[in-house]
Structure formats: C-alpha cells, structure tokens
C-alpha cells in the first residue's frame, strides 16, 4: 500500500475547489509572534533608529526623515514586490530591473519621438512588459532552462534593446516633465506621494492572494516542493509560467513610475534596484512567515534598508557604505532564509518517514 503524504506541501486537494489544506494550527502565545526569529527586522529597525538618533539627534529623528524614507524607497518596494510572486513559485527573475528600464524607455520614446499620447504609450509599454514575461516563462518553464541562467540571458537581451532604442543616452524632453507624465509618480494624495500608494496597494493585493486564496497556497506549495505539489494535483507548470508573467508586469509598471519620477527615459534606470530589491525580498522572507516570501515582510525589509541608507547618508558616510550595508543584509538574509527552508524540509522528511508503509 502506498503512503499518503500529509504535509501542507504534499497533501492532495481536500476541498471541492482543489485547495490545499491549511497547515495545522497549534496554540501560540504572544512570545511566538514577538520572537526575534519571526520579526527580527522590527527590532533591528528600532535599534537603527536609536543608534542614528543618538549620533545625529534631531537631524535624523524627525518627521522629515520618515517622509524621506517612505517617499524615496517606495519604488524599491515596488521593485521588490515584483520578485515576490515568482520567488514564491520557486523561480528567479534576474531580468526585472532591465524590464523596469525598458518600460520607462518605451514610454518616453513613444511620447517624445513617436508623438503618441501618454495613455497609449503606457498601454504599449505594459504590452512590452507582458511580452517580456511570456518570453521569460517560455525560456524557464517550457524550455526548462534554470531560471537564474534563463532570466539573466533575457535580461541581457532587454538591456541590448534599451541601448538600441536610446542610443545609450537618456531620453529627455519637456514632454516628460509636463504635468500628465510627471503626475504618475510626483502627484500626492493626503500628503503622501503616489508611488507610496502604489506600493501599499500592490503589497495588499499580493498579501491577499498569498494568504487568502487557493492560488496563493498553491504558489507556496510549488515553491517549496514542485514535484510533490504536482503529484498532489497542483498545476505547477501554469503557476510557474504565470508567476513570471505577473512579475514582469509589476516590474513594467514600476519602470513607468520610475521614468515619471526622474522625468526621462534612462536605459539604465532600473539597474540600481537589482541588489536592494533582492536584499529586501530575501530579508522579508525571514519575517512573519519564516522562510516564505511574503509581501508584508518585504515592505518591512525595504523600510529597514531605507532607514539604514538614509541614516548613513545623513551621517556623512562614504558612498560605498550604502552598498556595503545592503550587501551584508542580503548575505545575512540568504543565510537565514536557507536555514529556515532547510528546517522546513527536514520536518517534511521526518513526516515522510513516519508515513512510509511498513513492508
């Protein structure tokens, strides 16, 4: 008699709509939810605020600093959220930063050189992002090329397209600083710049999908153990395919917002977001869900990174200090995330042994 898998990652559908059963919930006290392992970034954020306040006083501990962090790192949050969906499904997208540049360049080129209206240019740019997502999905899921290598290759092609379109020089024109285009990123709502609102809405949508839908649970199942999820009836091929498309669309929209914020079509505008976005999403995976890529943890990680970078800048640190800080955070997050996922896999293996049939 064959065994029946019983873990969340391996369990077969148990509801009419094919939802994977939820993980068993045991009584957990306040100490669990406030543990450093679960919300360590919150404690690190508080520590950073205290240290920078002691060193800088009112220069750092002020409402203007909070607004600076929130405004300046909202696009970083959007870029990181573009990674959450594919990573949840177990695939990397190293091309997202180049996709950001491409949609910004495409919008600027169509508005300035093709005389297209802003609405039409945005639609075309998003269609370009859709094509990028489809190409990434075809390369990774259909051709079965490792996602790190495949999306690195497509990213190189996208960057070549950016250079071809712009001649490797930013597209600048008064049309790109006119109210219509500028308002995409520079308008305010209730005193908050609009990219902050975009980031909050994106995070809320991704959180809802991950936590409250069958698709979200299947994404997690696919990311943790694609083979077991497939055997349990999860459409892993489709989920991995669509996750790359969704990530490209989010990155494409982020690129349009970025282009509006700088008022130009820069072929390298997205590249600086590559490292911070990955650092945020992996650090975020250590928060709240302990090894699962999640929107809430990612936003928290962006706030921590933004606070650190802003504090270093106000303290007059060398320009390399920011990259050093981000790199250290990324390495630490990768180490912790890998340990957490390794622990989950170990639990799964032990559960598997307990359900092996007795021969």
């Amino acid at each position: 008699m064959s065994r029946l898998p019983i873990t969340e990652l391996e369990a077969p559908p148990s509801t009419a709509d094919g939802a994977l059963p939820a993980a068993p919930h045991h009584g957990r006290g306040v100490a669990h939810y406030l543990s450093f392992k679960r919300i360590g970034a919150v404690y690190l954020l508080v520590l950073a605020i205290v240290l920078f306040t002691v060193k800088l006083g009112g220069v750092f501990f002020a409402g203007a600093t909070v607004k600076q962090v929130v405004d300046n790192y909202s696009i970083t949050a959007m870029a990181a959220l573009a990674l959450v969906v594919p990573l949840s499904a177990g695939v990397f997208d190293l091309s997202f930063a180049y996709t950001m540049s491409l949609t910004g360049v495409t919008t600027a080129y169509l508005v300035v050189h093709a005389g297209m209206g802003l609405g039409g240019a945005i639609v075309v740019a998003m269609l370009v992002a859709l094509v990028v997502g489809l190409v990434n999905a075809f390369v990774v899921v259909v051709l079965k090329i490792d996602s790190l290598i495949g999306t690195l290759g497509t990213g190189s092609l996208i960057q070549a397209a950016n250079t071809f379109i712009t001649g490797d020089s930013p597209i600048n024109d008064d049309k790109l600083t006119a109210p219509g285009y500028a308002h995409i990123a520079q308008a305010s709502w209730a005193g908050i710049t609009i990219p902050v609102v975009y980031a909050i809405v994106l995070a809320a949508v991704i959180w809802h999908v991950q936590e409250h839908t069958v698709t979200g649970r299947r994404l997690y199942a696919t990311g943790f153990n694609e083979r077991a999820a497939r055997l349990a009836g999860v459409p892993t091929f489709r989920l991995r395919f669509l996750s790359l498309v969704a990530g490209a669309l989010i990155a494409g929209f982020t690129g349009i917002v970025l282009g509006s914020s700088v008022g130009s079509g820069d072929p390298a505008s997205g590249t600086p977001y590559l490292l911070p976005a990955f650092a945020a999403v992996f650090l975020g995976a250590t928060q709240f869900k302990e090894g699962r890529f999640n929107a809430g943890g990612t936003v928290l990680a962006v706030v921590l990174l933004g606070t650190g970078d802003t504090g270093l800048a106000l303290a007059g640190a060398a320009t390399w200090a920011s990259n050093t800080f981000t790199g250290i955070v990324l390495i630490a997050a990768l180490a912790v995330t890998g340990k957490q996922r390794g622990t989950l896999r170990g639990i799964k293996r032990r559960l598997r042994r307990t359900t092996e049939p007795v021969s």
Side-chain angles (χ1 to χ4, degrees):
M1 180 177 66
S2 62
R3 70 179 179 86
L4 294 177
I6 64 174
T7 69
E8 178 189 0
L9 298 182
E10 295 184 295
S14 60
T15 63
D17 61 0
L20 289 173
H25 184 276
H26 305 288
R28 290 172 174 174
V30 174
H32 167 77
Y33 292 102
L34 296 181
S35 67
F36 186 86
K37 183 173 68 173
R38 185 176 177 85
I39 57 169
V42 174
Y43 299 116
L44 292 176
L45 177 62
V46 172
L47 177 62
I49 292 172
V50 170
L51 291 176
F52 284 124
T53 300
V54 169
K55 181 174 180 58
L56 302 172
V59 174
F60 179 81
F61 195 72
T65 304
V66 175
K67 183 170 174 31
Q68 180 180 351
V69 171
V70 172
D71 288 347
N72 290 354
Y73 289 87
S74 56
I75 292 178
T76 302
M78 294 172 66
L81 289 168
L83 292 170
V84 170
V85 178
L87 284 172
S88 296
V91 288
F92 282 82
D93 182 6
L94 293 182
S95 69
F96 82 95
Y98 306 107
T99 303
M100 288 171 58
S101 301
L102 180 61
T103 53
V105 162
T106 300
T107 304
Y109 181 87
L110 292 175
V111 169
V112 174
H113 297 299
M116 185 177 290
L118 179 60
I122 291 174
V123 169
V124 172
M126 289 304 296
L127 288 175
V128 169
L130 174 62
V131 171
V132 169
L134 291 172
V135 171
N136 279 340
F138 179 79
V139 169
V140 173
V141 182
V142 178
L143 297 183
K144 298 182 179 179
I145 297 174
D146 182 87
S147 59
L148 280 170
I149 304 301
T151 58
L152 183 63
T154 56
S156 180
L157 295 175
I158 295 167
Q159 186 57 34
N162 290 332
T163 303
F164 175 78
I165 293 171
T166 64
D168 208 22
S169 298
I171 300 173
N172 296 299
D173 192 271
D174 290 342
K175 294 179 181 178
L176 302 180
T177 56
Y181 187 63
H183 282 174
I184 295 174
Q186 299 175 32
S188 297
W189 181 77
I192 302 173
T193 56
I194 201 68
V196 178
V197 179
Y198 298 150
I200 292 172
V201 171
L202 274 174
V205 170
I206 293 172
W207 170 81
H208 175 77
V209 171
Q210 288 182 318
E211 299 298 320
H212 297 285
T213 69
V214 174
T215 299
R217 292 167 66 182
R218 288 175 169 176
L219 273 173
Y220 277 139
T222 300
F224 272 99
N225 193 323
E226 191 267 342
R227 179 177 177 274
R230 186 175 67 252
L231 292 174
V234 174
T236 57
F237 181 97
R238 184 167 70 239
L239 286 170
R240 294 171 74 227
F241 192 100
L242 293 178
S243 71
L244 285 165
V245 173
L249 288 172
I250 296 173
F253 176 66
T254 304
I256 293 171
V257 176
L258 176 59
S260 171
S261 69
V262 299
S264 70
D266 189 336
S269 59
T271 307
Y273 292 88
L274 186 63
L275 180 61
F278 269 106
V281 77
F282 274 96
L283 176 58
T286 68
Q287 305 300 302
F288 307 134
K289 294 299 177 181
E290 299 181 19
R292 296 187 179 192
F293 298 103
N294 65 93
T298 298
V299 172
L300 172 61
V302 170
V303 173
L304 174 59
L305 290 170
T307 300
D309 286 346
T310 302
L312 289 171
L314 291 174
T319 54
W320 50 262
S322 177
N323 286 336
T324 302
F325 173 71
T326 303
I328 291 173
V329 169
L330 177 57
I331 292 171
L334 283 169
V336 175
T337 304
K339 182 178 180 181
Q340 289 175 343
R341 290 199 158 206
T343 301
L344 290 171
R345 292 191 183 100
I347 293 171
K348 185 182 68 177
R349 285 194 296 270
R350 289 194 293 273
L351 286 170
R352 181 185 297 122
R353 285 197 294 271
T354 65
T355 57
E356 290 289 352
V358 178
S359 55

